[in-house]
């Protein structure tokens, strides 16, 4: 694992992602690339100053591995997805969960982001504990055909930490799993055996 991209909105919640990016970089001998995307309202002298100060504070929380800071301007999903194409091995970030009516109606921004990036992603929640290992990883069976990023990410974490992986599949009473779920479950088992 060479470089871990850690997008941040400079909030307290984003520090969860910073913690895990630092942990993964340390364990894998990698570096952390902190990325902050500035929207239109941040493109003032005051906004840029606050962003620079916030990024320095977050970089100071990375104590186990080397870290670099990147700033971009524009739509955060597009800019983060574009940055992921520049040689990062993994993206680690934190989510606030659903915020506001727009996300409640149209879906969480983090789900949109993860669908657009080209690298495996680890998303931690605001209430996630700051642990220092991944002894057990629970991987839900995915119902879509493109699961390589999921498998690569889980395999990378499991190998780095010597984790046990539990493949989780929810089957409702009276229903049978779809062909896609059964196929993906088999793929997941075989991938992890390798």
């Amino acid at each position: 694992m060479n470089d871990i991209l850690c997008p941040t909105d400079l909030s307290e919640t984003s520090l969860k992602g910073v913690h895990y990016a630092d942990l993964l970089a340390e364990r894998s001998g990698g570096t952390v690339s902190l990325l902050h995307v500035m929207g239109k309202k941040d493109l003032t002298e005051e906004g840029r100053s606050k962003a620079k100060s916030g990024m320095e504070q977050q970089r100071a929380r990375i104590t186990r591995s080397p870290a670099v800071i990147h700033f971009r301007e524009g739509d955060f999903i597009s800019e983060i997805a574009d940055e992921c194409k520049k040689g990062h091995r993994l993206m680690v970030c934190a989510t606030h969960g659903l915020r506001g009516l727009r996300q409640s109606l149209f879906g969480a921004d983090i789900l949109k982001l993860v669908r657009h990036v080209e690298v495996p992603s680890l998303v931690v929640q605001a209430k996630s504990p700051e642990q220092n290992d991944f002894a057990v990883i629970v991987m839900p069976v995915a119902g879509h055909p493109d699961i390589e990023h999921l498998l690569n990410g889980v395999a990378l974490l499991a190998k780095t930490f010597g984790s046990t992986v539990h493949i989780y599949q929810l089957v409702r009473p009276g229903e049978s799993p779809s062909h896609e779920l059964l196929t993906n479950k088999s793929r997941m088992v075989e991938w992890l055996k390798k």
Side-chain angles (χ1 to χ4, degrees):
M1 199 179 306
N2 298 330
D3 186 72
I4 297 169
L5 179 64
C6 183
T8 174
D9 64 2
L10 306 178
S11 67
E12 193 68 28
T13 296
S14 67
L15 289 173
K16 293 285 184 170
V18 171
H19 167 78
Y20 281 100
D22 190 23
L23 173 65
L24 288 163
E26 176 200 30
R27 292 284 180 100
S28 63
T31 59
V32 176
S33 287
L34 282 174
L35 171 67
H36 179 65
V37 178
M38 295 183 290
K40 291 178 184 177
K41 65 180 180 185
D42 301 318
L43 299 178
T44 63
E45 190 174 321
E46 181 183 351
R48 289 178 195 275
S49 178
K50 282 184 180 180
K52 184 177 180 185
S53 173
M55 286 292 272
E56 290 297 338
Q57 290 173 10
Q58 290 206 349
R59 180 172 33 192
R61 299 289 287 266
I62 299 174
T63 59
R64 308 172 198 208
S65 51
V68 294
I69 291 176
H70 301 278
F71 291 96
R72 292 183 79 135
E73 297 175 6
D75 172 68
F76 77 96
I77 292 177
S78 299
E79 294 299 322
I80 294 169
D82 187 54
E83 181 65 33
C84 281
K85 297 175 186 174
K86 298 187 175 185
H88 303 286
R89 183 81 186 271
L90 179 72
M91 180 180 76
V92 178
C93 59
T95 179
H96 299 272
L98 291 175
R99 294 195 309 182
L101 181 61
R102 181 185 60 80
Q103 287 192 36
S104 294
L105 292 174
F106 300 111
D109 288 338
I110 195 70
L111 295 175
K112 294 173 194 168
L113 174 62
V114 170
R115 288 184 187 121
H116 282 86
V117 299
E118 295 183 3
V119 296
S121 303
L122 171 64
V123 178
V124 295
Q125 297 176 339
K127 294 180 182 178
S128 296
E130 287 191 5
Q131 54 193 57
N132 291 314
D133 69 1
F134 290 86
V136 177
I137 298 171
V138 178
M139 179 172 59
V141 177
H144 51 84
D146 184 22
I147 62 171
E148 280 73 26
H149 288 314
L150 172 64
L151 294 172
N152 283 331
V154 170
L156 191 62
L157 287 174
K159 188 174 181 180
T160 301
F161 289 91
S163 309
T164 300
V165 179
H166 294 260
I167 298 174
Y168 177 78
Q169 180 179 0
L170 178 66
V171 180
R172 293 182 182 100
E175 291 184 10
S176 298
S178 68
H179 174 71
E180 290 83 11
L181 284 174
L182 293 173
T183 299
N184 282 353
K185 184 176 180 181
S186 295
R187 284 177 66 198
M188 290 173 163
V189 169
E190 290 305 313
W191 194 286
L192 291 172
K193 281 181 183 177
K194 290 179 188 176

